[in-house]
Amino acid sequence: MSCYRKYAEVRKLNSEVLVCTYNHKGVDMVRNESNSAVDRPYPFWLYNSENNVAVVEGSFEDKISSNCVINAVDIYYRFMGVSKQLNQIRLYGDMASGGGLDWCIIGPFEGYPDRDNFDKVKEVFQFHKTYEAYFGNFTSQAKILLINPSPFGVHSPASWEYLGIFKMLKEEHLLFDVTGVLELEGVVERLDRYDAVILPGIRQIKNSHFLKALKNTTASVIATGMSFQNNEEELSEIFGVHLKDKLEKVRGGYLLTEPKAIFRSFEKRDLVYLDMEYYYMETEEGNLNYLPLVAPARYGPPERCYGHEITKQPSATVKEKNIYIPWQPGTLYYKHGFEDFKQILLLLIESVGMLNNPVRTDAPKQVELFFDQCGDRQYLLQLLNLSGFNGTTFFDPIPIHSIHVNFTEIKPKRIYNLTLEGKKELLDTKGVMVPVLEQYAAYLVEV
C-alpha cells in the first residue's frame, strides 16, 4: 500500500488524526531525529536540530516538523544519555527554528537509569508551555534561501558543501531558509522574496520550472561546489561560465586574494590554500573575475619547492549579480574550519549588494540568533549560547555580557523579555540589549 493510500485510509477513519510515518510523503508531520553515535565521524554537527527543522519548514507549507531529540548516546547504549547541555541545545534548536518539542528515552521515566538530563529538559518544555502561543507558526524574515542538495535521509559528499555554508550563515547571524533539492517546485513562486539563493554542490538540477525561475529571479544566484556542472545551458545563461578540465593536482595550490577592494579582510593574507576539487572555467567577456589561481608547485624540501605561478584562471566569477565558484568553500570550511573560506564567500555576496539582514548584532559567533514573525505585528527574537561546546564535549555555556540586537526593517513599540518568571517589559525600544546571555533568551517584539 502506497504512503498516499495509507494516508487516505487513515483520514477516512478519522479526519482529525495526524499522520506521521518517518516519511515526508503522505503525512501531516515530518519526523526527523537529532541523535548521536559512537562511530560517527567528526566534525561534530552542532546544528542538527536546526537543520532538520529548517528543511521541513522551508520545503512544505502543508506539513509540520517534529524533530526528535534522542537522549541516548547511541542506539546500542540506550540507557546512558548525551550531556544535559547537548540535550538542551537540541531542544532549544527545535523550538527556536519553528518545530515542535520532541524528546525520546527508551522505557518509563520511573526507574530509568540516567536521570541527569531530566531537569534541563523540563526547563525547555516548561518555557514552551508558558509561551506556546508564540511558537509553531513562524513567518520567516530571511533574505537568503539555501538549497539542501541531499534528499531527506540521504547524505552525500554534496552534504558537506551544504553543511559548511549552513555553518557560515549561522555564525554570521544571517537569517536564511532551507529547501530540499527534491522540493524545488514549491519555491518557484517565492524566489523573488530573497536577495540571494545559494546552491551548494548540486551538479544537476532537473526541475525545469525552477531553472526557468532562476534565470528570471531578482535574487542573486550563488553556486558553489561545481553546481550546474551537468546543466550547461543554465551555467552559461545564469553565470556566463563554461566548465573545462578538472585540476588534477590541487594540493599545493592557492587562491590569490585579489582584488583587495573586494577581499578587504585579506589585507595581510595574500594566499588562501586550495584543496579538494577544482575545475578550470572559461568566462564571458563581461564577467568580473576574481581570485586568480596560484598553480601548485613541486613538493619537497623548502629549497626545492618553487615554481608557484600566478595564472590568469579566475576562481570566482560574477555575471551581473550572480556568482559562480568552481571549487568547494563550504566543504573546506566544514572539514577544516578556516574562516578564510567563509570570508571569501560572504565578501563576494556583499560585493553584489545582496548581503542584507533584518537584524544587526554584536553577538559572538558562538551565539545563534533567530528572528521570525510570530503573530499579528509580533516578532520573536531568540538567542542560543553555544559557547560551552569545545568540538567534542559540552560544558555549561560561558555567560556572555552586553549583547546588542538592532532591527533594520521594523520599529518596535514594545519589547518583552520572556522568562520562566513571566514577561518583563524593556524600557528601551530602539533595540534589545541582553545584559547576560546564559543558555537561551527570548524577546517578544511588538510593532
Side-chain angles (χ1 to χ4, degrees):
M1 184 182 293
S2 73
C3 56
Y4 295 107
R5 186 177 169 190
K6 290 177 184 176
Y7 180 81
E9 291 295 326
V10 171
R11 281 310 186 98
K12 282 181 185 178
L13 296 173
N14 188 336
S15 61
E16 298 298 315
V17 170
L18 181 145
V19 178
C20 176
T21 63
Y22 264 96
N23 200 329
H24 65 284
K25 297 179 179 179
V27 295
D28 301 298
M29 181 172 74
V30 180
R31 199 163 192 245
N32 291 320
E33 289 186 5
S34 292
N35 55 38
S36 300
V38 295
D39 292 328
R40 189 164 297 164
Y42 288 97
F44 183 92
W45 180 235
L46 185 57
Y47 302 104
N48 195 257
S49 287
E50 294 87 334
N51 174 53
N52 288 348
V53 174
V55 72
V56 175
E57 293 293 304
S59 296
F60 308 107
E61 293 186 356
D62 60 341
K63 297 174 176 53
I64 60 176
S65 170
S66 186
N67 180 67
C68 184
V69 174
I70 303 295
N71 181 66
V73 299
D74 198 321
I75 194 170
Y76 299 105
Y77 303 112
R78 292 169 170 169
F79 298 112
M80 176 182 168
V82 298
S83 70
K84 53 192 174 185
Q85 295 90 349
L86 176 54
N87 257 309
Q88 200 169 45
I89 285 170
R90 284 173 166 171
L91 286 168
Y92 278 130
D94 277 357
M95 182 177 75
S97 301
L101 287 184
D102 191 337
W103 188 64
C104 171
I105 65 171
I106 303 299
F109 286 97
E110 297 78 10
Y112 188 73
D114 187 350
R115 300 168 296 284
D116 195 45
N117 288 322
F118 288 4
D119 289 341
K120 288 288 187 182
V121 169
K122 285 179 183 177
E123 282 183 23
V124 186
F125 275 86
Q126 183 59 54
F127 185 89
H128 187 275
K129 180 180 179 181
T130 303
Y131 299 107
E132 186 176 5
Y134 305 126
F135 289 97
N137 191 27
F138 291 161
T139 300
S140 172
Q141 303 301 294
K143 301 291 186 182
I144 297 171
L145 175 63
L146 177 62
I147 307 300
N148 186 335
S150 299
F152 286 91
V154 176
H155 295 279
S156 66
S159 300
W160 300 334
E161 185 69 11
Y162 161 77
L163 294 176
I165 294 175
F166 191 108
K167 183 172 183 279
M168 293 178 188
L169 299 176
K170 280 292 185 181
E171 290 174 346
E172 296 304 313
H173 310 117
L174 294 166
L175 306 181
F176 62 99
D177 292 337
V178 174
T179 293
V181 70
L182 298 183
E183 313 303 328
L184 296 176
E185 190 70 31
V187 299
V188 167
E189 298 299 325
R190 55 184 170 97
L191 280 186
D192 288 350
R193 296 184 197 172
Y194 300 101
D195 290 338
V197 179
I198 305 177
L199 299 103
I202 307 173
R203 304 203 182 201
Q204 183 173 19
I205 294 174
K206 298 180 180 180
N207 189 300
S208 59
H209 293 146
F210 180 74
L211 290 172
K212 182 179 179 180
L214 278 185
K215 294 177 184 179
N216 298 300
T217 183
T218 57
S220 172
V221 183
I222 300 137
T224 73
M226 284 69 69
S227 286
F228 295 92
Q229 185 177 34
N230 298 320
N231 292 96
E232 293 186 11
E233 178 183 328
E234 287 72 26
L235 191 58
S236 175
E237 288 189 38
I238 298 173
F239 304 102
V241 167
H242 172 65
L243 282 183
K244 300 173 73 177
D245 294 336
K246 183 179 181 180
L247 176 61
E248 295 299 338
K249 184 186 176 185
V250 176
R251 190 151 290 181
Y254 295 90
L255 308 169
L256 183 66
T257 55
E258 295 287 350
K260 296 297 187 189
I262 299 296
F263 303 104
R264 59 187 183 280
S265 64
F266 292 90
E267 180 184 355
K268 296 182 180 180
R269 177 166 285 175
D270 296 332
L271 299 178
V272 172
Y273 81 91
L274 187 63
D275 206 43
M276 310 297 290
E277 286 190 84
Y278 181 103
Y279 278 78
Y280 292 103
M281 60 180 175
E282 182 180 304
T283 64
E284 289 182 358
E285 185 176 342
N287 281 26
L288 299 174
N289 296 321
Y290 304 133
L291 298 171
L293 171 68
V294 180
R298 176 186 296 178
Y299 174 76
E303 66 272 15
R304 301 193 60 162
C305 296
Y306 55 85
H308 284 289
E309 175 192 358
I310 299 176
T311 73
K312 295 182 179 180
Q313 172 60 214
S315 301
T317 189
V318 176
K319 179 180 179 180
E320 298 175 354
K321 59 182 173 36
N322 300 328
I323 300 167
Y324 194 83
I325 299 175
W327 45 283
Q328 297 167 290
T331 302
L332 290 169
Y333 191 57
Y334 174 71
K335 289 195 161 202
H336 303 159
F338 290 99
E339 275 205 297
D340 307 78
F341 303 111
K342 174 172 64 176
Q343 292 170 11
I344 284 171
L345 179 61
L346 296 184
L347 287 170
L348 282 168
I349 301 174
E350 187 179 277
S351 75
V352 296
M354 294 299 190
L355 200 63
N356 305 305
N357 208 39
V359 291
R360 293 195 184 108
T361 182
D362 58 4
K365 292 173 174 51
Q366 293 87 349
V367 172
E368 193 175 359
L369 183 148
F370 307 81
F371 181 66
D372 298 276
Q373 188 169 358
C374 63
D376 184 25
R377 307 184 71 83
Q378 291 181 320
Y379 296 81
L380 193 62
L381 170 70
Q382 301 174 84
L383 302 168
L384 183 56
N385 186 350
L386 305 176
S387 66
F389 176 56
N390 78 346
T392 54
T393 306
F394 286 83
F395 304 99
D396 287 335
I398 301 168
I400 300 175
H401 296 261
S402 301
I403 295 174
H404 296 84
V405 181
N406 295 312
F407 307 102
T408 63
E409 297 182 351
I410 62 170
K411 293 183 178 181
K413 292 182 178 178
R414 287 173 296 276
I415 301 175
Y416 301 92
N417 182 13
L418 306 183
T419 74
L420 284 173
E421 292 74 38
K423 292 166 61 175
K424 300 177 181 179
E425 187 169 0
L426 306 188
L427 297 178
D428 186 359
T429 60
K430 293 179 182 177
V432 171
M433 197 286 283
V434 185
V436 182
L437 176 64
E438 300 286 350
Q439 183 73 80
Y440 169 85
Y443 293 85
L444 180 67
V445 181
E446 296 183 347
V447 298

